[in-house]
Amino acid sequence: MRGRLLRTICSIALVTAAAAPALGQSDRWYPSPWGPEDQRGAANRLTPEKVLEARNLITRGSVYQLGHVYEQAMPLFGTRHFSLRIPQTYGPMGVNRTMYHDEVVSAEIGQVSTQFDGLGHIGIGDLFYNGNDRADFSRGDGLLKLGIENVGAIATRGVLIDVAAFKGVAVLDGNYEITRADVTGALQRQGTEIHSGDIVLVHTGWGSLWLTDNARFGASAPGVGLDAARYLVEKEVVLVGSDTWATEVVPNPNPELQFPVHQLLIPRNGIYIFENLVTEELARDRAYEFAFFYAPLKLKGATGSPGNPLAIR
Amino acid sequence: MRGRLLRTICSIALVTAAAAPALGQSDRWYPSPWGPEDQRGAANRLTPEKVLEARNLITRGSVYQLGHVYEQAMPLFGTRHFSLRIPQTYGPMGVNRTMYHDEVVSAEIGQVSTQFDGLGHIGIGDLFYNGNDRADFSRGDGLLKLGIENVGAIATRGVLIDVAAFKGVAVLDGNYEITRADVTGALQRQGTEIHSGDIVLVHTGWGSLWLTDNARFGASAPGVGLDAARYLVEKEVVLVGSDTWATEVVPNPNPELQFPVHQLLIPRNGIYIFENLVTEELARDRAYEFAFFYAPLKLKGATGSPGNPLAIR
Amino acid sequence: MRGRLLRTICSIALVTAAAAPALGQSDRWYPSPWGPEDQRGAANRLTPEKVLEARNLITRGSVYQLGHVYEQAMPLFGTRHFSLRIPQTYGPMGVNRTMYHDEVVSAEIGQVSTQFDGLGHIGIGDLFYNGNDRADFSRGDGLLKLGIENVGAIATRGVLIDVAAFKGVAVLDGNYEITRADVTGALQRQGTEIHSGDIVLVHTGWGSLWLTDNARFGASAPGVGLDAARYLVEKEVVLVGSDTWATEVVPNPNPELQFPVHQLLIPRNGIYIFENLVTEELARDRAYEFAFFYAPLKLKGATGSPGNPLAIR
Amino acid sequence: MRGRLLRTICSIALVTAAAAPALGQSDRWYPSPWGPEDQRGAANRLTPEKVLEARNLITRGSVYQLGHVYEQAMPLFGTRHFSLRIPQTYGPMGVNRTMYHDEVVSAEIGQVSTQFDGLGHIGIGDLFYNGNDRADFSRGDGLLKLGIENVGAIATRGVLIDVAAFKGVAVLDGNYEITRADVTGALQRQGTEIHSGDIVLVHTGWGSLWLTDNARFGASAPGVGLDAARYLVEKEVVLVGSDTWATEVVPNPNPELQFPVHQLLIPRNGIYIFENLVTEELARDRAYEFAFFYAPLKLKGATGSPGNPLAIR
């Protein structure tokens, strides 16, 4: 038991000593600016005004589905699975002979294919958004706090950041770190600004590997680095999405760090991450600003949600 | 194959002979008006103009989430299940000690809680939308046709039909059949019209039993009867939603019929059904017209999808 | 973080101060007598001699299946679930038209219906059998130690302890605590002895409530109390089984204790527990001694296994 | 119903016309010799005498577990899956601080890894064992007839047929068809006979590819051909097991046939098949005769069961 005592002390020391300088952030990241009881993070930035701002971007009536298909052949991370079966047809019922099909699905449904990461998903050591200790809220039957059912609807202005086009390529390299200059440069090229309360989608082109080269797709990913992520934090976004499985660059250029951008966005700043989005059509059409609509499934106590969000203009 | 031909002929014969008079409909319901290869049904009515029509209804920036929570305690139909577990926390990874939570879910995910019924869900004997014979498309690994991944985005004008208010009650009786006159009367009371390509949501008040009296909630349901459903078909809606588990009246006043409105809407007319929606707040706020946004999860070969659709005005 | 430090200290204090006297046991229960690396506990008592001893009890060729059916209607504990679906028939394949059925199952498969509890199932605070700290072996993808795949085959002499008959009833009361005197008295009435390396099955009659009164079945359970359990530990059994869901008396007569017999048997003594067994026929036939055969499914990293063990004489 | 009659007639016609000559068998395979209502097939051959015969083979007390581990890394057929997760630890409960682990599993649990095929698993066209038409018994919630819960315990004499050793190799080739002469030759080499009511296990050596070369393991399989299978039918076995995923040779030398041995054994003769068994140790020890003990999990309405059967001598 003494070992556990020592391990706890060491954990605290490690987090404080090693991580803060690497992340370049103050370690005083909680309580949240939205209060010590807050569970919604940057979703608090969503207001009726943002809805109207989004509404004003709808001029053509063009609708883009940003979700991938969920299917057996898709890339899966680690030992996650996705199973869908159609049971024997039920019925017939009544003189009108009603017959029906169900499907039975089993999966890490919030972390396969197009996936929305909630505030219960990522921790720094044992601490999650707003300083919540997993010992206090993480339970077998569902998270007691930070569950995805708390997020609410996301209806706001969306901005596409086409970094691939800025770099003059169709697909960024697999370990390309998107810098602050890449982001600002891409925005400038597009003539687009980010407003507080927006969501942003980063287009890398990596999504073109989906189903065409799953092994390569999942082996690494181009994506935002820490400094670019800090820029997005400064711009007060609600969510950062991407056409990769990680949104951030993997592996990180600093080999000691694992998913530091996830930590910067989710627990430290309550900003959501949306992975495996289909951004190709938006990029093709130069749809840099759009109304964005998405609401996570209210899976009680879940850490994430599947989705098929809409971009409309 | 000859056997199947004979079976199909027998199916048609049975349905025509027994059900058609009861349904009061011609039995020539396929091929679809959208062509013999069509898999999307009334979703074909969705156009950029409908998106703009929806956009014009957004004046306040008020957003309503129409989905229920998915949780163990919710009412479930038959032997369907819903399981959500949070596995042991993964990590820590890296010097920054990233830890993460997944959830693993198992369920008839398209037919529990808030559920969107696709065109592969309901058949008349062995025949489904557009005359597709289940022997041709129903497979253990997923439907080969009519899968939910085909539906596309639904962004259109939405109309709430508050039948409970029209009848002067908070909650309709458990076996109350909503008639054509109820629908037109409610619309008239509201001063609302239905346009082609709209979605409609029927408010019965029955949703107030969700979690408060699950047994009663699931034992029956107030809902649209066949004549009211025909009216909605005439109005060329894309989808009929409701705050009950069935949308149609259950049991049907004709005890020989089982879910005849499901058959009228889904296979016969390619019109979708959305069940277990939260319509209470829309009714409370008299939000009779709104922009409606929803896209099913692209679960390949599935018959339905979960959801948390948005109504915005 | 200081809170966690304090909590850890308090945990240690609590376990040491409060639990040891209540359990009447020394708290020096690890390392295991079978060595600090042992993962099999009392299964180490199984030898070829025990197999031969079992063999000698087979005189009639009568076989008893001790497992219940796994079905939707069975009693389930807490939020556990059991789902079984038959997908659409696969095929036909070849000119010989092979068709086949699968079933897809989702469940806490080691803790529903007839269930064999392994050494990874129960802990005393954070410590499990052989002093293993869950932080060291409990992982989302499976336990790194103490997994059920380590147990091995159980082929040994089995003894039925018919406590219900000893008490002159068909079914013990729902909160009846079986005492040491009950066990020795029942054995004496039967003229049966327990040998080192045996498995024992306790017949309470409670199993008659299975499917006939699930609510009552699961609300409490007659079963062994701590002193009776100590007797079984002294007799060096390998496993204690029963026709109840808990094997021990629930609630425990000491209201401060939760499942103390599970702790005494599994982590402290490496003795397995087998719940929801069908002991009725053995009791009816007065089959007090028999050959017992069972091997857990080798579910890697699991905490338990389903089963349909055999008693043969 | 007339349609179904016509379909059944057509099915029989098709099967008779096309398959019977290829299989070299009379097509009058039902009703079963055990009666038109029988659901247990060759398990009817199991008697107390067979149990005693098995008992007499136990002389050393050596126990062999014949089941593989169920794990993520194992070979899986088609789109089947196997997921095991350990949820967050439950507890602590009581002053004694009981904590516990569950596992939640999702899989085609009767058709992954070591799997016992029941009589509901394989059909000839629409007809299954005893002429049961799948339209009559195959349901989404479980088979109404032929479910695995009907099989009962298998405690009988077992015979290993070491074909690999007979052929002088460690591993038979991937498409090697075991002939009647191979079987009789192997038995002769071993000095072993098959008795009515025995189970037989065919050792091919192919099991050595399990986890070492999954792709090759599953791409084909050495195994019994039709004539060898007929021999086993003549010997009135209860079950044929093997260390391959198919037990029969795949692909069949007649490219028009798919799994004809499965059809010969299961529907035509009610003989069970047990796949992915660990026969290596029995072969190594020349354990040609042994007591065999196995009982399927009583998964109601299932087509198969996982297992870890025992061979003892």
Side-chain angles (χ1 to χ4, degrees):
Chain A
M1 316 222 184
R2 219 171 31 194
R4 279 192 72 231
L5 203 55
L6 289 164
R7 189 173 59 230
T8 307
I9 295 170
C10 288
S11 301
I12 300 169
L14 262 170
V15 170
T16 318
L23 293 168
Q25 278 257 334
S26 157
D27 213 48
R28 300 169 70 83
W29 49 275
Y30 61 95
S32 157
W34 294 286
E37 298 308 312
D38 180 68
Q39 300 190 53
R40 297 184 62 238
N44 284 296
R45 293 183 174 129
L46 300 167
T47 63
E49 289 67 42
K50 291 303 291 182
V51 178
L52 298 176
E53 192 178 348
R55 185 269 322 265
N56 291 337
L57 293 168
I58 302 176
T59 56
R60 310 164 187 228
S62 302
V63 181
Y64 299 80
Q65 295 182 81
L66 304 183
H68 273 298
V69 174
Y70 295 77
E71 58 190 305
Q72 201 88 27
M74 63 189 183
L76 286 166
F77 186 78
T79 55
R80 290 174 180 148
H81 74 288
F82 177 80
S83 167
L84 182 146
R85 290 290 184 262
I86 307 291
Q88 294 281 326
T89 317
Y90 295 91
M93 306 187 292
V95 67
N96 52 320
R97 296 178 55 77
T98 294
M99 297 201 74
Y100 69 94
H101 290 122
D102 276 5
E103 64 281 315
V104 61
V105 170
S106 174
E108 289 80 6
I109 199 66
Q111 287 86 29
V112 294
S113 192
T114 300
Q115 55 189 267
F116 174 87
D117 291 349
L119 302 186
H121 183 50
I122 295 288
I124 304 174
D126 295 321
L127 301 184
F128 286 68
Y129 172 72
N130 217 345
N132 284 289
D133 189 322
R134 63 182 183 101
D136 294 330
F137 72 90
S138 183
R139 298 287 181 270
D141 294 2
L143 308 180
L144 299 179
K145 297 183 80 171
L146 305 181
I148 207 79
E149 74 279 13
N150 295 299
V151 178
I154 303 177
T156 190
R157 177 173 181 264
V159 169
L160 181 78
I161 309 174
D162 191 341
V163 179
F166 174 66
K167 303 296 290 183
V169 296
V171 183
L172 297 174
D173 285 343
N175 57 355
Y176 182 76
E177 180 186 22
I178 295 171
T179 64
R180 177 183 291 251
D182 286 334
V183 173
T184 54
L187 290 169
Q188 186 169 49
R189 173 185 169 274
Q190 295 169 188
T192 321
E193 286 183 356
I194 300 174
H195 304 156
S196 172
D198 283 355
I199 67 97
V200 295
L201 305 181
V202 179
H203 177 73
T204 69
W206 199 247
S208 60
L209 296 175
W210 184 266
L211 291 186
T212 61
D213 193 340
N214 283 352
R216 187 166 161 234
F217 179 84
S220 66
V224 299
L226 278 166
D227 201 38
R230 277 185 215 109
Y231 173 76
L232 297 174
V233 169
E234 292 159 17
K235 300 306 286 183
E236 296 178 348
V237 300
V238 171
L239 171 157
V240 181
S242 168
D243 58 341
T244 81
W245 59 274
T247 298
E248 63 177 295
V249 56
V250 179
N252 190 279
N254 178 343
E256 291 198 299
L257 299 179
Q258 291 281 334
F259 301 103
V261 169
H262 271 70
Q263 286 186 331
L264 180 71
L265 295 177
I266 297 178
R268 287 177 178 275
N269 287 285
I271 291 172
Y272 299 90
I273 289 179
F274 217 150
E275 292 156 346
N276 291 329
L277 292 173
V278 178
T279 52
E280 202 169 303
E281 295 160 358
L282 290 173
R284 174 199 67 200
D285 294 353
R286 297 188 176 88
Y288 300 129
E289 302 174 55
F290 44 85
F292 178 85
F293 299 102
Y294 174 69
L297 297 182
K298 291 181 179 177
L299 299 167
K300 186 164 185 171
T303 79
S305 170
N308 185 13
L310 301 179
I312 306 183
R313 61 173 194 155
Chain B
M1 313 285 159
R2 217 169 34 193
R4 210 148 27 87
L5 196 55
L6 289 163
R7 185 177 66 234
T8 306
I9 294 170
C10 288
S11 301
I12 299 170
L14 263 169
V15 171
T16 316
L23 294 168
Q25 277 256 335
S26 156
D27 215 49
R28 300 170 69 84
W29 49 277
Y30 61 95
S32 157
W34 294 286
E37 298 307 314
D38 180 67
Q39 299 190 52
R40 297 184 62 238
N44 285 295
R45 293 183 173 130
L46 299 167
T47 63
E49 289 66 43
K50 291 304 290 182
V51 178
L52 298 177
E53 192 178 348
R55 185 269 323 264
N56 291 337
L57 294 169
I58 302 176
T59 56
R60 309 164 187 228
S62 300
V63 181
Y64 298 80
Q65 295 182 80
L66 304 182
H68 273 296
V69 173
Y70 295 78
E71 59 190 306
Q72 201 88 26
M74 63 191 184
L76 286 165
F77 185 77
T79 55
R80 291 174 178 149
H81 74 288
F82 177 80
S83 167
L84 182 146
R85 289 290 184 263
I86 307 292
Q88 294 282 325
T89 318
Y90 296 93
M93 306 187 291
V95 68
N96 52 320
R97 297 179 56 75
T98 294
M99 297 201 74
Y100 69 94
H101 290 123
D102 276 5
E103 64 282 316
V104 62
V105 170
S106 174
E108 290 79 8
I109 199 66
Q111 287 87 29
V112 294
S113 192
T114 299
Q115 55 189 268
F116 174 86
D117 290 350
L119 302 186
H121 184 49
I122 295 289
I124 304 174
D126 295 323
L127 301 183
F128 286 67
Y129 172 72
N130 217 345
N132 284 289
D133 188 320
R134 65 183 182 100
D136 295 329
F137 72 90
S138 184
R139 298 288 181 270
D141 294 4
L143 308 180
L144 300 179
K145 297 183 80 171
L146 305 181
I148 208 78
E149 74 278 13
N150 295 300
V151 179
I154 302 177
T156 189
R157 178 174 181 263
V159 169
L160 181 78
I161 309 174
D162 191 341
V163 179
F166 174 65
K167 304 297 291 183
V169 296
V171 183
L172 296 175
D173 285 343
N175 58 355
Y176 181 78
E177 180 187 22
I178 294 170
T179 65
R180 177 185 291 250
D182 287 333
V183 173
T184 55
L187 290 169
Q188 187 171 47
R189 172 184 168 275
Q190 296 168 187
T192 320
E193 286 181 358
I194 301 174
H195 304 157
S196 172
D198 283 355
I199 66 97
V200 295
L201 306 180
V202 180
H203 177 72
T204 69
W206 198 246
S208 59
L209 297 175
W210 184 267
L211 290 187
T212 60
D213 193 342
N214 283 352
R216 188 167 160 233
F217 179 83
S220 67
V224 300
L226 278 166
D227 201 37
R230 279 186 215 107
Y231 173 77
L232 297 174
V233 169
E234 292 159 16
K235 301 305 287 181
E236 297 179 349
V237 301
V238 171
L239 171 158
V240 181
S242 167
D243 57 342
T244 81
W245 58 273
T247 298
E248 64 177 294
V249 55
V250 178
N252 190 280
N254 178 342
E256 291 198 298
L257 300 178
Q258 292 282 333
F259 301 103
V261 169
H262 271 69
Q263 286 186 333
L264 180 70
L265 295 177
I266 296 179
R268 287 178 177 275
N269 287 284
I271 291 173
Y272 299 90
I273 289 179
F274 217 149
E275 292 157 347
N276 291 330
L277 293 173
V278 178
T279 53
E280 202 169 301
E281 296 160 357
L282 291 174
R284 173 199 65 199
D285 293 352
R286 296 190 177 86
Y288 300 129
E289 302 174 57
F290 45 84
F292 179 84
F293 299 102
Y294 174 70
L297 297 182
K298 291 181 178 177
L299 299 166
K300 186 164 185 170
T303 80
S305 171
N308 186 12
L310 300 179
I312 306 184
R313 62 172 194 155
Chain C
M1 313 212 195
R2 215 169 37 191
R4 278 192 75 232
L5 202 55
L6 288 164
R7 188 174 59 232
T8 306
I9 295 170
C10 289
S11 301
I12 300 169
L14 264 170
V15 171
T16 317
L23 293 168
Q25 278 257 333
S26 156
D27 214 49
R28 300 169 67 84
W29 49 275
Y30 61 94
S32 156
W34 294 287
E37 297 308 313
D38 181 68
Q39 300 190 52
R40 297 183 62 238
N44 284 295
R45 294 184 173 127
L46 300 168
T47 63
E49 289 66 44
K50 292 303 292 183
V51 178
L52 297 176
E53 192 178 347
R55 184 270 322 266
N56 291 337
L57 294 169
I58 303 175
T59 56
R60 310 166 185 226
S62 300
V63 181
Y64 299 80
Q65 295 181 81
L66 305 183
H68 273 299
V69 174
Y70 295 78
E71 59 189 305
Q72 200 88 26
M74 63 191 184
L76 286 165
F77 185 77
T79 55
R80 291 174 179 147
H81 74 287
F82 178 79
S83 166
L84 182 146
R85 289 290 185 262
I86 307 291
Q88 294 283 325
T89 318
Y90 295 92
M93 306 186 293
V95 68
N96 52 319
R97 297 179 54 77
T98 294
M99 298 201 74
Y100 69 95
H101 291 122
D102 276 5
E103 64 280 319
V104 61
V105 170
S106 174
E108 290 79 6
I109 200 67
Q111 287 86 30
V112 294
S113 191
T114 299
Q115 55 190 268
F116 174 86
D117 291 349
L119 303 185
H121 183 51
I122 295 288
I124 304 175
D126 295 321
L127 301 183
F128 286 68
Y129 173 71
N130 217 346
N132 284 289
D133 189 321
R134 63 183 181 99
D136 294 330
F137 73 91
S138 183
R139 298 289 180 269
D141 294 4
L143 307 180
L144 300 178
K145 297 183 80 171
L146 305 181
I148 208 78
E149 74 278 12
N150 295 298
V151 180
I154 302 176
T156 189
R157 177 174 182 264
V159 170
L160 182 78
I161 308 174
D162 192 341
V163 179
F166 175 65
K167 303 297 291 183
V169 296
V171 183
L172 297 175
D173 285 342
N175 57 355
Y176 182 76
E177 180 186 25
I178 294 171
T179 65
R180 176 183 292 251
D182 287 334
V183 173
T184 55
L187 290 169
Q188 185 169 48
R189 173 185 168 274
Q190 297 169 187
T192 321
E193 286 182 357
I194 301 174
H195 305 156
S196 174
D198 284 355
I199 65 97
V200 295
L201 305 180
V202 179
H203 178 72
T204 69
W206 198 245
S208 59
L209 296 176
W210 184 266
L211 290 187
T212 60
D213 193 341
N214 284 352
R216 188 168 160 232
F217 179 83
S220 67
V224 299
L226 278 165
D227 200 37
R230 278 184 216 109
Y231 173 77
L232 297 173
V233 169
E234 291 159 17
K235 301 305 287 182
E236 296 178 348
V237 301
V238 170
L239 170 158
V240 181
S242 169
D243 57 341
T244 80
W245 59 274
T247 297
E248 63 178 293
V249 56
V250 179
N252 190 280
N254 178 343
E256 290 197 299
L257 300 179
Q258 292 282 335
F259 302 102
V261 169
H262 272 69
Q263 286 185 332
L264 180 70
L265 296 177
I266 296 178
R268 286 178 178 276
N269 288 285
I271 291 172
Y272 299 89
I273 289 179
F274 217 150
E275 291 157 347
N276 290 329
L277 293 173
V278 178
T279 52
E280 202 168 302
E281 296 160 356
L282 292 173
R284 172 198 68 198
D285 294 352
R286 295 189 177 86
Y288 299 130
E289 301 174 57
F290 44 84
F292 179 85
F293 299 102
Y294 175 70
L297 297 181
K298 291 181 177 177
L299 299 167
K300 187 164 185 171
T303 79
S305 171
N308 186 12
L310 300 180
I312 305 183
R313 61 172 194 158
Chain D
M1 311 291 154
R2 216 169 37 190
R4 217 157 14 93
L5 195 56
L6 290 162
R7 185 179 65 237
T8 307
I9 294 171
C10 289
S11 301
I12 300 171
L14 263 168
V15 171
T16 316
L23 294 167
Q25 277 257 334
S26 156
D27 215 49
R28 298 169 70 84
W29 49 276
Y30 61 95
S32 157
W34 294 287
E37 298 308 313
D38 180 68
Q39 300 189 51
R40 298 184 61 238
N44 284 295
R45 295 183 172 127
L46 300 168
T47 63
E49 289 67 41
K50 293 302 292 183
V51 178
L52 297 176
E53 194 178 347
R55 184 271 323 264
N56 292 337
L57 294 167
I58 303 175
T59 56
R60 310 164 185 227
S62 301
V63 181
Y64 298 80
Q65 293 181 83
L66 305 182
H68 273 297
V69 174
Y70 295 77
E71 57 190 306
Q72 201 86 26
M74 63 191 184
L76 286 166
F77 185 78
T79 56
R80 291 174 179 148
H81 73 289
F82 177 79
S83 167
L84 183 146
R85 289 290 185 263
I86 307 291
Q88 293 282 326
T89 317
Y90 295 92
M93 305 187 293
V95 67
N96 53 320
R97 296 180 55 76
T98 294
M99 298 201 74
Y100 69 94
H101 290 123
D102 277 5
E103 64 281 317
V104 61
V105 170
S106 175
E108 290 79 7
I109 200 66
Q111 287 87 30
V112 295
S113 193
T114 299
Q115 54 190 268
F116 174 86
D117 291 349
L119 303 185
H121 183 49
I122 296 288
I124 305 175
D126 294 323
L127 302 183
F128 286 67
Y129 172 72
N130 217 344
N132 284 290
D133 189 322
R134 64 184 182 99
D136 295 330
F137 72 91
S138 184
R139 298 288 180 269
D141 293 4
L143 308 180
L144 299 179
K145 296 183 81 172
L146 305 181
I148 208 79
E149 74 278 12
N150 295 298
V151 179
I154 302 176
T156 190
R157 177 174 181 263
V159 169
L160 182 78
I161 308 174
D162 192 340
V163 179
F166 175 65
K167 304 297 291 183
V169 296
V171 185
L172 297 175
D173 286 342
N175 58 355
Y176 182 75
E177 180 185 24
I178 294 170
T179 64
R180 177 183 291 248
D182 287 333
V183 173
T184 55
L187 289 169
Q188 188 170 45
R189 171 186 169 275
Q190 294 169 188
T192 321
E193 285 181 359
I194 301 175
H195 305 156
S196 173
D198 283 357
I199 65 97
V200 295
L201 305 181
V202 179
H203 178 71
T204 69
W206 197 247
S208 60
L209 296 175
W210 184 266
L211 291 187
T212 61
D213 193 342
N214 283 351
R216 189 168 160 232
F217 179 82
S220 67
V224 300
L226 278 166
D227 201 39
R230 278 185 215 107
Y231 173 77
L232 297 174
V233 170
E234 291 160 16
K235 301 306 287 184
E236 296 179 347
V237 300
V238 171
L239 171 158
V240 181
S242 170
D243 57 341
T244 80
W245 59 275
T247 298
E248 64 177 293
V249 56
V250 179
N252 190 280
N254 178 342
E256 291 199 298
L257 300 179
Q258 291 282 334
F259 302 102
V261 169
H262 271 70
Q263 286 185 333
L264 180 70
L265 296 177
I266 296 178
R268 288 177 176 276
N269 288 285
I271 291 171
Y272 298 91
I273 289 178
F274 218 148
E275 291 158 346
N276 291 329
L277 293 173
V278 177
T279 52
E280 202 169 301
E281 295 160 356
L282 291 173
R284 172 198 68 200
D285 294 352
R286 297 189 177 85
Y288 299 129
E289 301 174 57
F290 45 84
F292 178 84
F293 298 102
Y294 174 69
L297 296 182
K298 291 181 177 177
L299 299 166
K300 187 165 184 169
T303 80
S305 171
N308 185 12
L310 301 179
I312 306 183
R313 61 172 194 157

